[in-house]
Amino acid sequence: MAEAAAALGQFDFAGDDHVVPFQVEGLDVRGRAVQLGPMLDAILERHHYPAPVARLLAEVVVLTVLLGTSLKFDGKFTVQTKGDGPVDLLVADFSTPENVRAYARFDQALLAKAVAAGETEPEQLLGKGVLAFTIDQGKFSQPYQGIVALDGTSLEDIAGVYFRQSEQIPTRVRLAAAELFDRDDAGKPRHRWRAGGLVAQFLPEAPERMRQPDLHGGDGDTGNRPHGEDDAWVEARSLVETIDADELTDPLVGTERLLFRLFHERGVRVYEPRAVFDRCSCSREKIGNVLKGFSAEEIEASQENGEIAVTCEFCSTTYRFDPAELQPVEQKA
């Protein structure tokens, strides 16, 4: 992608569902920011997720988009949580150059119990488990996976731990999701989902400036920053932490306007936005090839009313097959 600088005065230059790369030269910071609207709403409304589940999945989608669009090669970036809470699985993947899909699995009874008890914070819904980041460059290379613990902190903080452990780059992530209730052009009530996020990374020319504080040492750890932590990163991180969740999701703010609010005193530069789309990678051919690997007994057991129906968990598309077309050639003969 050719990075053509966009004028910061064009506050609505990108709009929804476009990732905006940015650079703050005065602080040696690079990053990406995004606001997701119709694309995210289509993913969430397709499954009619309860609000606490939709909010969690929205944050995972934002995180996936922010990190996936940084890939410099053809491949797939996946973010997945597995925990022992009411929402036991969240998964979103980004396939280069622009396709996104996502899915959540939850226990209805456990979720209802958690909501009734007011236990709807992300860490309460996810429980203990792991958050995995997977990069897959295709069949000619081994996938890379980084895993961090779901330890009762926010997805923002867990993502920060991932960068500290795997890439050793000082990184701050902000994520937010919101429900909007308004009226359409005909005056009818309308419900929509929006989300937004920002990732900022400290990338100075001198590697020694990237020194970071150690991870929290537990009881007795004051959390004071060491003398070696760079002042430019302390300033950048502090500015990012001033972002209000509403600013990340407000359609009247816009991504460029938010970046200008944060960094204008230091000279922020934005680049050409990258659009992302709600597009699943499933197909009749792919699913058919999987079914053709089934044994005759498995094909028989999968039938209902003389056919095999497979519904994609991501996009809810149902593919129907005649069992005869799944038999090996020698059996058909």
Side-chain angles (χ1 to χ4, degrees):
M1 178 189 73
E3 292 188 337
L8 276 171
Q10 297 176 276
F11 289 130
D12 296 320
F13 181 82
D16 286 343
D17 305 335
H18 287 75
V19 179
V20 179
F22 68 88
Q23 179 178 1
V24 186
E25 294 180 354
L27 297 175
D28 292 312
V29 165
R30 285 181 175 269
R32 291 170 300 283
V34 70
Q35 283 193 341
L36 300 180
M39 185 274 284
L40 176 72
D41 194 54
I43 290 175
L44 299 181
E45 290 300 321
R46 180 180 297 126
H47 293 280
H48 305 290
Y49 292 119
V53 179
R55 191 178 302 275
L56 269 178
L57 187 58
E59 289 193 4
V60 171
V61 171
V62 172
L63 181 59
T64 303
V65 166
L66 286 172
L67 303 186
T69 51
S70 69
L71 297 181
K72 305 299 184 183
F73 49 81
D74 290 338
K76 179 183 292 186
F77 179 81
T78 303
V79 176
Q80 179 174 318
T81 71
K82 286 187 177 180
D84 61 5
V87 184
D88 66 316
L89 175 70
L90 297 169
V91 58
D93 63 47
F94 175 86
S95 297
T96 56
E98 58 193 12
N99 299 338
V100 183
R101 63 178 189 168
Y103 169 73
R105 187 177 67 201
F106 61 97
D107 185 299
Q108 186 69 61
L110 290 178
L111 179 65
K113 183 178 180 181
V115 171
E119 299 174 349
T120 57
E121 292 299 316
E123 54 269 25
Q124 295 171 317
L125 295 177
L126 294 173
K128 300 295 184 179
V130 296
L131 175 65
F133 299 82
T134 305
I135 299 174
D136 188 349
Q137 298 186 53
K139 62 182 179 180
F140 298 112
S141 63
Q142 285 290 108
Y144 165 80
Q145 187 172 73
I147 297 177
V148 291
L150 293 174
D151 59 358
T153 55
S154 69
L155 289 174
E156 289 182 355
D157 293 335
I158 294 170
V161 171
Y162 163 75
F163 278 103
R164 183 178 300 181
Q165 292 180 346
S166 65
E167 299 189 16
Q168 299 182 343
I169 298 174
T171 303
R172 185 67 172 99
V173 178
R174 297 300 311 274
L175 306 169
E179 291 180 274
L180 267 64
F181 297 90
D182 58 9
R183 294 183 180 275
D184 61 21
D185 295 338
K188 296 180 179 179
R190 178 174 57 177
H191 168 264
R192 293 180 292 159
W193 280 98
R194 293 183 59 79
L198 179 146
V199 57
Q201 295 187 303
F202 184 50
L203 295 166
E205 291 186 7
E208 62 271 16
R209 293 180 59 201
M210 295 171 64
R211 179 181 175 184
Q212 301 176 79
D214 294 333
L215 294 173
H216 197 280
D219 293 341
D221 188 342
T222 63
N224 295 329
R225 84 176 165 92
H227 296 296
E229 192 175 13
D230 195 273
D231 287 340
W233 174 240
V234 172
E235 179 182 344
R237 188 184 63 222
S238 298
L239 290 172
V240 171
E241 290 171 353
T242 66
I243 301 173
D244 188 85
D246 291 342
E247 291 181 288
L248 288 171
T249 59
D250 190 342
L252 299 181
V253 173
T255 303
E256 290 88 350
R257 185 181 294 274
L258 175 60
L259 292 171
F260 183 76
R261 286 180 179 180
L262 288 174
F263 300 119
H264 66 279
E265 292 184 356
R266 287 293 196 165
V268 61
R269 177 182 299 176
V270 297
Y271 297 94
E272 181 181 352
R274 292 184 55 179
V276 291
F277 300 91
D278 164 33
R279 290 176 183 160
C280 190
S281 59
C282 73
S283 70
R284 179 180 177 81
E285 180 183 6
K286 289 181 180 180
I287 294 175
N289 287 336
V290 172
L291 293 175
K292 287 176 182 177
F294 283 18
S295 66
E297 292 77 13
E298 290 171 325
I299 291 177
E300 179 68 27
S302 301
Q303 294 182 44
E304 186 172 346
N305 298 324
E307 67 175 10
I308 296 177
V310 179
T311 300
C312 176
E313 291 180 327
F314 288 94
C315 68
S316 297
T317 300
T318 298
Y319 299 92
R320 302 183 184 279
F321 298 86
D322 183 337
E325 65 182 297
L326 303 174
Q327 296 177 3
V329 175
E330 59 271 17
Q331 291 189 23
K332 292 182 180 180

